[in-house]
Amino acid sequence: MPLVNTTEMFKKAYEGGYAVGAFNVNNMEIVQGIVDACKEQNAPVILQCSAGARKYAKHAYLVKLVEAAIIDAPEIPIALHLDHGPDFETCKSCIDGGFTSVMIDGSHLSFEENIAVTKKVVDYAHERGVTVEGELGQLAGIEDDVNVSEENASYTDPSQVQEFVERTGVDSLAIAIGTSHGAFKFKPGQKPQLRFDILDEVSKRLPGFPIVLHGASSVMPDYVAIIRQYGGKMDDAIGIPEDMLRQAATSAVCKINIDSDLRLGLTAAVRKYLAENPTHFDPRQYLSPARAAIKDVVTHKLINVLGCAGKAN
Ligand code: G3H
Ligand code: 13P
Ligand code: ZN
């Protein structure tokens, strides 16, 4: 089947009480590992590219990799999504360039400015059959192009969500309930907590409407341990407990974003392989276990966190 937008995926996820995984892709091995897992588990999937990914791999390479994925896995629905679109121009370039879904991240702007830029993207996207994710509230965390300090992070205000959705026409909404980007989500000794009360209040005000959770890696301890065992420095890496993500997936949350756990799995596999095989230098040798680790991480998420294994049809 051709690339799909997120409309049908989210309708089924909402009704079925599960969430679709949105995994960040930056190269061929990551795309293949994710798609291998989703094909085997018969799961729908969102492959998402950040602005940083487009800078690293180039737009055309990413689109062609994902087009290859639909040839390799024609039986599962795959959406190609822009993660954290920083402005209208980036969203437009992705819409014009083959993406089926975009996020416009106006969460750092004032409420009115966020509405204005989000509506502009929605108007352009909907005319072309592309779905749009907006964001209200700010997550903490640091990545290439997403950098929000802890002081500037703020929970979503449920009293704003209805007006935001009505005035912009977005298809889904990312909210901030205590998740954050990256591998250091909580301080040692701090009890991980998510504001399910805010999620409940948002869902009450937006019945049937798909909610998105960013910063949802659990920072899988087994991979952190392997990275540390083989020389990596990742003290105090802490993620979202899996039972909380599971709870979120059964609610109005229809899309769960995972990047850091892929990075950890891939890095653990490469570090281990190179440490155990110091004479090897063929990238295919150490990228094969890296790709297998991506597949393992995604398989685990589909079955144990998202609940979307077997939901492709
Ligand atoms: O939320 C951001 C994603 O993890 C992408 O990170 O901007 O480093 O590609 P990136
Ligand atoms: P993690 O850093 O928790 O994997 O979050 C990824 C994300 O939200 C991408 O948009
Ligand atoms: Zn994010």
Side-chain angles (χ1 to χ4, degrees):
M1 83 179 76
L3 284 175
V4 298
N5 67 25
T6 57
T7 307
E8 237 354 74
M9 276 186 186
F10 289 168
K11 190 170 177 292
K12 286 184 182 164
Y14 198 100
E15 286 164 4
Y18 62 90
V20 179
F23 299 100
N24 287 74
V25 299
N26 294 280
N27 67 14
M28 183 187 76
E29 285 76 11
I30 296 175
V31 172
Q32 289 179 335
I34 297 166
V35 171
D36 283 352
C38 293
K39 200 159 77 159
E40 200 167 278
Q41 296 302 322
N42 198 34
V45 68
I46 297 168
L47 299 175
Q48 58 184 12
C49 306
S50 66
R54 288 176 84 232
K55 219 183 289 170
Y56 171 76
K58 294 190 188 168
H59 178 95
Y61 284 89
L62 291 169
V63 171
K64 293 298 171 192
L65 282 174
V66 173
E67 283 175 4
I70 62 173
I71 293 171
D72 187 37
E75 66 276 39
I76 58 167
I78 301 178
L80 173 55
H81 174 77
L82 168 66
D83 190 27
H84 293 284
D87 47 43
F88 174 78
E89 287 68 31
T90 308
C91 292
K92 178 178 183 301
S93 150
C94 288
I95 294 163
D96 295 344
F99 282 45
T100 51
S101 176
V102 294
M103 173 189 192
I104 171 69
D105 184 353
S107 59
H108 55 289
L109 302 171
S110 71
F111 186 60
E112 286 301 325
E113 286 168 335
N114 191 356
I115 287 179
V117 70
T118 304
K119 181 168 170 25
K120 189 172 171 188
V121 171
V122 168
D123 289 346
Y124 191 80
H126 282 183
E127 276 176 26
R128 292 156 181 83
V130 170
T131 40
V132 180
E133 173 185 328
E135 177 164 347
L136 264 182
Q138 275 198 284
L139 277 68
I142 300 173
E143 269 121 52
D144 283 3
D145 292 299
V146 186
N147 186 346
V148 180
S149 69
E150 236 172 278
E151 310 86 71
N152 289 335
S154 59
Y155 293 116
T156 303
D157 176 355
S159 72
Q160 293 185 323
V161 297
Q162 241 173 324
E163 183 181 351
F164 185 82
V165 167
E166 277 166 20
R167 286 178 60 193
T168 59
V170 278
D171 304 283
S172 61
L173 182 68
I175 61 168
I177 59 167
T179 61
S180 60
H181 292 112
F184 303 90
K185 299 184 192 296
F186 300 100
K187 300 217 163 57
Q190 192 185 1
K191 191 165 175 272
Q193 253 167 350
L194 294 188
R195 293 286 305 271
F196 281 101
D197 58 319
I198 296 180
L199 173 57
D200 286 348
E201 192 55 40
V202 167
S203 351
K204 264 189 219 134
R205 289 167 188 252
L206 295 172
F209 191 81
I211 301 302
V212 178
L213 213 56
H214 282 246
S217 281
S218 53
V219 187
M220 297 165 83
D222 289 356
Y223 292 115
V224 174
I226 294 171
I227 290 172
R228 295 183 65 197
Q229 183 185 344
Y230 292 98
K233 299 223 178 308
M234 292 220 64
D235 292 347
D236 304 334
I238 303 171
I240 313 294
E242 274 192 0
D243 57 329
M244 293 187 189
L245 296 166
R246 189 77 208 98
Q247 186 182 339
T250 59
S251 73
V253 171
C254 293
K255 172 175 180 270
I256 290 192
N257 284 14
I258 296 164
D259 187 4
S260 296
D261 280 334
L262 301 180
R263 297 177 181 196
L264 292 169
L266 189 153
T267 301
V270 171
R271 276 194 180 277
K272 182 171 189 294
Y273 185 90
L274 291 176
E276 288 175 349
N277 301 278
T279 59
H280 289 189
F281 61 93
D282 180 341
R284 292 171 298 188
Q285 291 173 315
Y286 55 84
L287 291 178
S288 293
R291 180 171 54 192
I294 296 283
K295 184 180 175 190
D296 288 347
V297 169
V298 174
T299 301
H300 177 83
K301 300 289 178 185
L302 298 174
I303 297 171
N304 299 296
V305 174
L306 302 158
C308 70
K311 306 290 187 185
N313 319 109

